[in-house]
């Protein structure tokens, strides 16, 4: 019976075949996942407060902040930025704390990017 060496050209690696790992010469570097930060619409938070939040915590200029606020108002939500997990968590916490302290129900959340 013929033995086919797995490292030979023309012998494709099979899923779950240990030899495919042993013959790999280099490993791909994984980029850390990125997270979208989203702002959600509600009926009570004043438009100018949302614009201020977007300027203050996301470094947007007034025109950009106004446009995103209007998108959220009309469509229900919008992505306001894409960040590392740690930065996204910090932004969400800052926005939620600022909104709570001003007694507005504004919601901010994060979602892993595909
Ligand atoms: N819908 C709010 C209003 O009419 C405005 C608003 C916009 C609230 C965006 C939240 O994320 C938001 N006052």
């Amino acid at each position: 019976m013929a033995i086919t060496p797995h490292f030979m050209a023309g012998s494709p690696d099979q899923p779950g075949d240990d030899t495919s790992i042993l013959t790999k010469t280099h490993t791909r570097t994984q980029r850390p996942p990125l997270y979208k930060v989203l702002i959600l619409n509600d009926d009570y938070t004043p438009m100018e407060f949302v614009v201020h939040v977007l300027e203050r915590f996301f470094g947007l200029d007034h025109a950009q902040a106004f446009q995103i606020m209007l998108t959220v108002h009309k469509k229900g939500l919008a992505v306001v930025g894409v960040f590392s997990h740690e930065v996204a968590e910090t932004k969400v916490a800052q926005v939620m704390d600022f909104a709570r302290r001003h007694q507005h129900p504004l919601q901010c959340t994060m979602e892993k990017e595909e």
Side-chain angles (χ1 to χ4, degrees):
M1 182 176 133
I3 298 164
T4 306
H6 286 91
F7 51 78
M8 269 181 68
S11 173
D13 294 339
Q14 297 300 317
D17 180 347
D18 292 351
T19 61
S20 67
I21 296 162
L22 296 173
T23 56
K24 206 175 245 180
T25 54
H26 64 271
T27 306
R28 293 239 168 262
T29 305
Q30 292 281 325
R31 281 191 306 276
L34 292 173
Y35 291 79
K36 299 181 281 194
V37 171
L38 302 110
I39 296 277
L40 309 186
N41 190 37
D42 66 73
D43 292 339
Y44 305 103
T45 305
M47 290 185 174
E48 54 269 30
F49 182 81
V50 179
V51 172
H52 178 68
V53 162
L54 296 176
E55 291 171 343
R56 181 173 177 139
F57 297 111
F58 297 93
L60 302 179
D61 68 30
H62 191 76
Q64 292 171 323
F66 197 88
Q67 273 308 314
I68 291 179
M69 180 282 295
L70 265 192
T71 299
V72 177
H73 178 68
K74 290 189 217 168
K75 308 248 180 191
L77 81 179
V79 175
V80 299
V82 177
F83 307 98
S84 69
H85 188 270
E86 188 177 5
V87 172
E89 258 187 356
T90 302
K91 302 274 184 204
V92 170
Q94 286 173 329
V95 171
M96 293 300 285
D97 183 59
F98 192 67
R100 190 192 50 77
R101 284 193 281 120
H102 288 83
Q103 298 184 295
H104 294 309
L106 179 64
Q107 295 292 307
C108 181
T109 185
M110 62 194 271
E111 189 179 285
K112 193 173 177 179
E113 250 198 357
E114 297 316 315

